[in-house]
Amino acid sequence: VFVCTMFSHGASTSEASSDGCTTQPFRLVVQWVKTKQDDLALSPFQLLYYQAPISACLLACVVPFFEPPSSMAPEALTTDALTAVAGSAALAFAFNLSIFMVIGKTSPVTYNVLGHTKLCSILLGSFAFFGESLLPAQGVGIALALLGVFWYTHLKLQGSSSTRASVLPVHSKRITRTI
């Protein structure tokens, strides 16, 4: 699986076009997770059990190229560093498990909508609590994203209520109990 990331602060339009480099492979992976989870009839825990060793092997091959050699020296492995690594691993486990649970119970589209909601809340929280600047284009983007989230939620709830209504019986018999 090819995944490429680009972190830039204030990316220009030419740099922003590289967004497809991160989103397209990610969308494929999310769809693959849902397909495999359904095909193999695995719970989120089982899927994570099989996925985690593969991810660890892939990362073990990549880490030597991106981490400076000094960070892997024995003297750099202090108790604080190992605690940070263990904490990071625990959070990654919980995050991956939540991804598999959301995708397994809903759909990849719902997972992506949830991701946009999370991003909007992070941006709004950084503006409200930490005094980060919010450009007008960012504000419009957040408003449009949240409008899309609300619309998607409305459509999903409408669809689920009509599904429930079609399953419910039209005539019900009243059961009385004599004591």
Side-chain angles (χ1 to χ4, degrees):
V1 173
F2 169 77
V3 177
C4 132
T5 58
M6 176 184 160
F7 297 99
S8 64
H9 192 62
S12 68
T13 54
S14 64
E15 291 170 328
S17 66
S18 69
D19 182 51
C21 190
T22 57
T23 57
Q24 293 305 323
F26 182 71
R27 288 179 187 161
L28 291 174
V29 169
V30 169
Q31 186 62 44
W32 177 81
V33 166
K34 176 66 174 172
T35 303
K36 284 299 174 188
Q37 195 169 3
D38 289 345
D39 288 350
L40 301 173
L42 296 175
S43 73
F45 281 107
Q46 292 169 321
L47 190 59
L48 188 58
Y49 176 78
Y50 291 116
Q51 178 266 337
I54 296 169
S55 294
C57 290
L58 289 172
L59 285 174
C61 295
V62 173
V63 165
F65 297 107
F66 292 100
E67 288 294 322
S70 62
S71 68
M72 293 186 275
E75 59 270 3
L77 300 177
T78 63
T79 305
D80 289 341
L82 293 175
T83 302
V85 168
S88 177
L91 289 174
F93 174 81
F95 178 73
N96 285 330
L97 183 61
S98 70
I99 288 172
F100 294 152
M101 291 174 86
V102 167
I103 293 172
K105 298 290 182 189
T106 59
S107 72
V109 175
T110 302
Y111 173 72
N112 281 328
V113 169
L114 185 62
H116 291 299
T117 307
K118 181 183 78 168
L119 177 62
C120 290
S121 65
I122 289 170
L123 293 173
L124 290 174
S126 67
F127 172 72
F129 299 117
F130 301 112
E132 291 286 326
S133 62
L134 187 67
L135 300 174
Q138 291 172 323
V140 169
I142 290 170
L144 287 174
L146 290 176
L147 181 67
V149 167
F150 294 135
W151 184 42
Y152 177 79
T153 304
H154 173 72
L155 292 176
K156 289 297 280 186
L157 290 175
Q158 241 182 359
S160 68
S161 67
S162 66
T163 303
R164 269 188 262 136
S166 66
V167 172
L168 293 176
V170 176
H171 301 285
S172 63
K173 295 180 181 180
R174 186 171 185 194
I175 300 173
T176 56
R177 205 170 159 182
T178 321
I179 301 179

